[in-house]
């Protein structure tokens, strides 16, 4: 679904207020997002699949998973590990006050808070399987990649961050599809995976558009060029993704032009793209 009305960054600001309600940086609070979580908590969903917490915890700390893990376990590990990369980046940006202060444009506060909620959205996926949220640093290369994105001067960094957001969209979309397929025999679990991942995807598509809108045409070309490179890096750094999605399939998808229509076609949320990368 595409919004009518204001376009570009102006339109994106209106969309964010429509989607998220009031933003409160101090309490890390988006009014509508809290309502959304309230709805989840009021309707708990629990998978009946036996998931071994010990195996999960052990593999969360491993760079490569132990051989012979089920696809379900790999999916949960990939979810937990993407969560760690998000959390690491958001935490750094917040610690350095990147989106704080009088001169910070309102959408930056929204974007930071949305990224915060992604950690929670992914944690709720794990929660359906009785798995706790844990803090584990992402692998070395991912940490350096995240730091590069957080600390690079904004004018140079916007195309980098934008390409990272594009690659993130593909990872979340692929994992969403894998999760829905894996748990098809537990329809409410599959539906909730779809819901939680779709929320993230809706936000990330918005972030892509926001970055693209801040880019010159030459920078947008850099975004498009870097995006498959970053996508492959994310997949390599999260070994579970490579085991879940064949590298040929992922490569083929990343080699095609970034397709927002395809990404958003089955999202039930309103989505907004301030500019196409
Ligand atoms: Fe995110
Ligand atoms: Fe993002």
């Amino acid at each position: 679904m595409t919004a009518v009305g204001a376009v570009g960054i102006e339109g994106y600001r209106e969309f964010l207020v429509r989607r998220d309600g009031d933003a409160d940086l101090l309490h890390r609070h988006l009014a509508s997002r809290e309502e959304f979580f309230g709805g989840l908590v009021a309707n708990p969903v629990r998978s009946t699949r036996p998931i071994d917490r010990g195996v999960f915890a052990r593999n969360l700390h491993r760079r490569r998973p132990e051989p012979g893990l089920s696809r379900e376990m790999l999916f949960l590990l990939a979810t937990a590990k993407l969560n760690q990369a998000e959390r690491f980046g958001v935490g750094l940006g917040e610690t350095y006050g990147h989106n704080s202060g009088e001169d910070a444009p309102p959408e930056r506060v929204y974007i930071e808070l949305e990224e915060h909620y992604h950690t929670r959205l992914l944690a709720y996926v794990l929660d359906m399987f009785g798995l706790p949220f844990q803090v584990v640093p992402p692998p070395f290369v991912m940490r350096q990649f995240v730091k590069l994105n957080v600390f690079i001067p904004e004018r140079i960094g916007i195309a980098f961050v934008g390409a990272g957001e594009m690659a993130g969209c593909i990872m979340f979309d692929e994992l969403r599809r894998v999760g829905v397929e894996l748990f098809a025999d537990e329809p409410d679990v599959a539906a909730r995976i779809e819901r939680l991942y779709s929320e993230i995807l809706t936000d990330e598509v918005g972030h892509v558009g926001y970055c693209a809108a801040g880019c010159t045409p030459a920078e947008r070309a850099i975004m498009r060029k870097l995006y498959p490179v970053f996508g492959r890096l994310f997949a390599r750094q999260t070994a579970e993704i490579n085991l879940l999605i064949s590298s040929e399939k992922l490569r083929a998808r990343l080699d095609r032009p970034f397709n927002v229509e395809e990404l958003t076609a089955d999202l039930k949320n309103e989505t907004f793209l301030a500019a196409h990368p």
Side-chain angles (χ1 to χ4, degrees):
M1 264 193 289
T2 318
V4 279
V7 293
I9 291 183
E10 205 43 59
Y12 185 48
R13 279 185 196 147
E14 289 176 14
F15 164 76
L16 286 170
V17 173
R18 227 168 26 243
R19 170 163 168 76
D20 295 334
D22 285 337
D24 177 350
L25 188 61
L26 178 64
H27 299 102
R28 295 180 180 162
H29 193 281
L30 289 170
S32 309
R33 214 48 77 95
E34 290 301 325
E35 269 171 44
F36 173 83
F37 282 113
L40 295 188
V41 173
N43 294 294
V45 171
R46 196 56 185 261
S47 169
T48 55
R49 295 278 221 293
I51 298 291
D52 188 323
R53 284 175 73 137
V55 173
F56 176 81
R58 214 163 52 227
N59 281 277
L60 195 55
H61 293 271
R62 285 176 63 109
R63 195 60 194 81
R64 312 216 134 261
E66 293 163 356
L69 296 185
S70 67
R71 284 179 67 78
E72 284 85 351
M73 182 61 86
L74 292 172
F75 168 76
L76 293 168
L77 286 166
T79 299
K81 289 184 177 182
L82 280 180
N83 195 337
Q84 299 302 329
E86 289 251 39
R87 180 196 56 75
F88 187 77
V90 174
L92 271 184
E94 188 189 55
T95 301
Y96 282 84
H98 279 186
N99 302 314
S100 198
E102 293 285 281
D103 53 342
E107 64 276 10
R108 296 291 292 268
V109 171
Y110 275 94
I111 292 174
E112 177 168 311
L113 291 173
E114 286 185 345
E115 296 289 11
H116 252 298
Y117 279 104
H118 294 178
T119 299
R120 236 169 112 185
L121 288 161
L122 293 168
Y124 271 99
V125 174
L126 301 179
D127 185 62
M128 285 190 285
F129 301 87
L131 298 169
F133 168 71
Q134 275 185 55
V135 174
V136 181
F140 178 80
V141 173
M142 275 311 261
R143 292 203 300 277
Q144 309 321 312
F145 178 82
V146 170
K147 283 189 217 161
L148 179 75
N149 278 282
V150 172
F151 296 122
I152 198 170
E154 192 181 333
R155 197 55 255 159
I156 313 170
I158 187 154
F160 274 76
V161 174
E165 302 275 9
M166 290 164 83
C169 284
I170 303 298
M171 297 301 130
F172 288 123
D173 186 44
E174 287 291 333
L175 278 181
R176 171 177 73 124
R177 290 169 194 281
V178 168
V180 168
E181 193 189 299
L182 275 177
F183 297 97
D185 60 328
E186 291 187 280
D188 39 347
V189 173
R192 184 146 295 186
I193 290 172
E194 162 100 67
R195 211 55 222 287
L196 292 163
Y197 267 98
S198 294
E199 284 294 310
I200 298 181
L201 198 49
T202 302
D203 291 340
E204 302 294 12
V205 166
H207 302 173
V208 168
Y210 178 67
C211 290
C215 278
T216 62
E219 288 165 341
R220 274 199 287 277
I222 297 175
M223 257 176 97
R224 291 193 297 271
K225 261 230 131 47
L226 285 179
Y227 132 77
V229 180
F230 288 179
R232 282 192 284 274
L233 173 83
F234 293 172
R236 252 199 324 273
Q237 287 298 309
T238 317
E240 290 79 1
I241 293 182
N242 265 337
L243 292 167
L244 284 167
I245 306 151
S246 83
S247 43
E248 297 78 52
K249 190 183 162 214
L250 197 61
R251 190 167 325 120
R253 182 155 191 202
L254 289 166
D255 284 342
R256 277 187 282 135
F258 186 78
N259 187 337
V260 182
E261 285 70 38
E262 182 190 333
L263 271 173
T264 57
D266 46 1
L267 292 186
K268 288 162 198 86
N269 302 321
E270 178 195 353
T271 56
F272 191 89
L273 193 73
H276 200 291

